[in-house]
Amino acid sequence: MAVFANGILFEGVDTSDPNCWKIEAYQARGGYQALKKILTEGISQDDVIAELKTSSLRGRGGAGFPTGLKWSFMPRSFPGDKYVVCNTDEGEPGTFKDRDILRFNPHALIEGMIIAGYAMGAARGYNYIHGEIFAEYERFEEALDEARRAGFLGQNILGSTFSYELFAHHGYGAYICGEETALLESLEGKKGQPRFKPPFPASFGLYGKPTTINNTETFASVPYIITQGGQKFLELGKPNNGGTKLFSVSGHVNRPGNYEIPLGTPFAELLEMAGGMRGGKKLKAVIPGGSSAPVLPGDIMMQCTMDYDSIAKAGSMLGSGAVIVMNEDVCMVRALERLAYFYHEESCGQCTPCREGTGWLYRVIHRILNGEGRPEDLELLDSVGNNMAGRTICALADAAVFPVRSFTKHFRHEFEHLIEHKTPLVNHKWC
Amino acid sequence: MLSAESLAKIDREVAKYPADQKRSATMSALRIAQQEKGWLATETIEFVANYLGIPPVAAYEVATFYNMYDLKPVGKHKLTVCTNLPCALSGGYDAADYLKQKLGIDFGETSADGRFTLVEGECMGACGDAPVMLLNNHSMCSFMTREAIDKKLAELE
């Protein structure tokens, strides 16, 4: 798989070197200098958070929430247990960037999480890792051991008064645990069912203590911001969209893989980097931010730049940066049916609108696909969706509804054709 | 009920959490038990619960919620094939169909000789390597073309 580095996370990382992830290699690339700078120069918690705010770093897990602001919500100067939690439960279809961070540069994440602990007054952190990437979980455990031996974790780090422990926890097959409060429940050894918010994790998180949860890529971006300055990070991207970002490109391209590029790069350039369309086929549609993001027709996508604001303006969201590319041979009813099945399968069952609604969506799309659709089915999908979105504890219901709304909006004629003629408009080929 | 080696592994997991939060180790303890036993029988789950000092139902709840725990015996090699959209666009269904044909079983079935169980999986977070297949829960097999499947199965003979 291709990893194209033109940013900060994989800068100087030779992914063909089997030892590129080790602490010696990381330190040779300037690793742990940010932590040393903070502890030896006595940079204050407030100054670390201020630097993050300057950087305009936004959460890389999907929501795009400003990281500096999130960190400032923690009661950092109050005594008592506080936790830093990393969300590496990467299961959003199309997303595979955090796996590569653990594979090739895990110490950037470890250093970022240590700095987070310092800035928020937490003495303990956990990284929750998707169960399916077990080899990466084991590698992360090895990297943690290296960091402990080097004195970057444990008591009185680098001779300072700051002490911090960090551990890895693995999931075991549940998409819902990528939702931050479900993740906390799972980390506590329970079913991963989301909690009501408020209270928010910053006041009532892991074991009921103040907790901040960030995505892997977010934490891993922090060391650069400390050593190079928030302003420099911001300038890598564009205003309100600081930095470079990893885009996971999958589907009908010649070179699927992770591409780290400045936010604001035109989609056309990203497609070109990924080798263009496989077999020279025509671009039909793109899901720009993971399966939960609304799909966009190819011609709209070709006008977009890859940043939070441009994609939002086009009616979708940048999400986790998972770009799923589809060519002209894809029947959009069939593509949507597969996604609807996923959400039905992964609904945790806690809220009735989601538990029942995801099944309704799947069954109705399934019958349309199989030539058994009824004239009222598109209205029915709308109605079911309206009874799901915004009516549940977490956003999984909304995530299930977004694709349905966007597929039936932009490719309505394919649904109508199937309902009317009982056969698909497109002679579907997956690949 | 579990070997000394497995218990030592569970102890290492328990040590990751605050002393009064042993329950947090439930997921890894069940995983370790499953690795030793091949699957999770009710008595195995109860043993894990008792070992951690939590109610059996709490461990059972976890074992039934997460889909990588096997609550029924599976073949010596469990093959989980991803057919989610990104994998499908790169041959996920072709890989699945080829495996079904080659092994003579459908999703959710185990071959008569007890060697293979085939499972349809959801996104494993490795879509850049599509199509992917997970071998025995922990080993990611990338780019599963027909040739790659033949090669992998030959290694498992």
Side-chain angles (χ1 to χ4, degrees), chain B residues 6-45:
Chain B
S6 290
L7 294 180
K9 280 185 192 166
I10 293 175
D11 292 345
R12 277 201 292 277
E13 295 297 327
V14 169
K16 291 178 178 177
Y17 308 97
D20 58 346
Q21 300 292 347
K22 281 172 86 171
R23 184 175 179 178
S24 281
T26 309
M27 292 183 71
S28 47
L30 288 172
R31 184 258 306 167
I32 291 162
Q34 176 166 292
Q35 278 180 291
E36 181 184 326
K37 300 287 187 188
W39 65 290
L40 292 176
T42 305
E43 48 270 32
T44 310
I45 297 169

Side-chain angles (χ1 to χ4, degrees), chain A residues 44 47 81 108 124 150 169 172 174 242 318 362 375 387 392 404:
Chain A
S44 71
D47 285 347
D81 292 339
R124 197 176 262 258
H169 179 107
Y172 225 54
L318 195 70
Y362 169 68
N387 281 298
T392 52
V404 176

Side-chain angles (χ1 to χ4, degrees), chain A residues 21-24 32 106-107 110 137-154 165-168, chain B residues 12 16:
Chain A
W21 63 275
K22 289 186 161 288
I23 196 165
E24 294 81 14
Y32 288 109
H107 284 285
I110 294 172
Y137 165 78
E138 289 179 320
R139 171 164 295 182
F140 188 73
E141 292 252 72
E142 279 187 63
L144 285 175
D145 279 340
E146 288 185 323
R148 286 184 194 114
R149 283 196 298 272
F152 297 127
L153 287 171
E165 301 284 356
L166 182 57
F167 302 97
Chain B
R12 277 201 292 277
K16 291 178 178 177

Side-chain angles (χ1 to χ4, degrees), chain A residues 312-341:
Chain A
K313 209 172 146 201
S316 186
M317 53 189 201
L318 195 70
S320 55
V323 182
I324 306 172
V325 178
M326 289 176 266
N327 72 22
E328 55 195 316
D329 291 338
V330 174
C331 164
M332 299 308 275
V333 184
R334 179 165 288 231
L336 180 62
E337 189 227 25
R338 185 61 188 85
L339 291 179
Y341 177 79

Side-chain angles (χ1 to χ4, degrees), chain A residues 126 168-169 172 187 190 207, chain B residues 16-17 24 66-67 83 90 138:
Chain A
Y126 291 97
H169 179 107
Y172 225 54
L187 192 44
K190 302 169 188 164
Y207 309 129
Chain B
K16 291 178 178 177
Y17 308 97
S24 281
Y66 300 90
N67 65 28
T83 58
S90 290
H138 293 172

Side-chain angles (χ1 to χ4, degrees), chain A residues 1 83 90-91 93-96 99 124 126 130-132 134 137 141 167-174 177 186-192 207 250 252 278 324 338 341-342 346 430-431, chain B residues 13 15-18 21 23-24 26-28 31 34 61-62 65-69 83-86 88-91 93 120-129 134 137-138 140 143:
Chain A
M1 177 169 68
Y83 293 99
E90 188 176 47
T95 316
F96 49 91
R99 176 180 181 230
R124 197 176 262 258
Y126 291 97
H130 200 219
E132 287 84 343
F134 204 80
Y137 165 78
E141 292 252 72
F167 302 97
H169 179 107
H170 67 73
Y172 225 54
C177 292
S186 184
L187 192 44
E188 292 180 2
K190 302 169 188 164
K191 287 182 292 185
Y207 309 129
S250 66
H252 291 146
R278 199 196 297 155
I324 306 172
R338 185 61 188 85
Y341 177 79
F342 169 71
E346 297 294 339
W430 276 121
C431 62
Chain B
E13 295 297 327
K16 291 178 178 177
Y17 308 97
Q21 300 292 347
R23 184 175 179 178
S24 281
T26 309
M27 292 183 71
S28 47
R31 184 258 306 167
Q34 176 166 292
E61 221 172 45
V62 169
F65 186 83
Y66 300 90
N67 65 28
M68 287 164 71
Y69 296 114
T83 58
N84 207 311
L85 184 61
L89 296 171
S90 290
Y93 280 107
E120 183 173 31
E122 289 301 341
C123 188
M124 298 165 187
C127 324
D129 294 3
L134 205 54
N137 294 328
H138 293 172
M140 186 77 72
F143 307 109

